[in-house]
Amino acid sequence: MGNLARKLHQEQHQEQQKQMVKAPKKVKVRSPWLSPGEKILGIIFTGMVCFGAVHIVSNQADIYGVNKDIQDTKKMIQEQQKVNGDLEMQVGELSTYERIWSKAKELGLKLNENNVKVVQD
């Protein structure tokens, strides 16, 4: 029996060697993380996000410029209203009856009551 067991053992050893020789090494094929279609979609999505971000920032800059112009215009309007108010006060001071009468006398004008017409507001 010893020879039979040894012979069986040798046959099994030879079969294993044949199987090792016959069995090709498995080459691990790495499947890509993303397929080409997914890569294209990712690039398109990234481009759209970047375009949207630039568009939003551009609009905000335009809005800021318009708001600045509005504030400048409001400031100019307030300054002009102040100047107009000052000029109205000067008109009120310069259009008093006494001042007009004194200027008329300086220019040599005399009051002729026949030529005076009363005007009411």
Side-chain angles (χ1 to χ4, degrees), residues 28-46:
K28 211 175 200 184
V29 178
R30 288 187 82 191
S31 61
W33 185 61
L34 294 173
S35 69
E38 290 174 335
K39 288 179 183 177
I40 290 172
L41 287 175
I43 290 170
I44 290 172
F45 178 74
T46 303

Side-chain angles (χ1 to χ4, degrees), residues 8-74:
L8 184 61
H9 180 60
Q10 284 178 353
E11 285 178 12
Q12 287 176 352
H13 185 58
Q14 286 176 357
E15 283 180 30
Q16 286 177 354
Q17 285 180 352
K18 285 181 183 179
Q19 286 177 355
M20 288 181 164
V21 171
K22 286 182 182 179
K25 292 183 179 179
K26 290 184 179 179
V27 178
K28 211 175 200 184
V29 178
R30 288 187 82 191
S31 61
W33 185 61
L34 294 173
S35 69
E38 290 174 335
K39 288 179 183 177
I40 290 172
L41 287 175
I43 290 170
I44 290 172
F45 178 74
T46 303
M48 288 174 56
V49 168
C50 290
F51 175 76
V54 168
H55 191 64
I56 289 172
V57 170
S58 173
N59 284 344
Q60 289 297 323
D62 291 342
I63 290 170
Y64 175 78
V66 170
N67 283 338
K68 186 174 181 284
D69 291 342
I70 290 171
Q71 293 299 323
D72 291 343
T73 304
K74 284 183 178 179

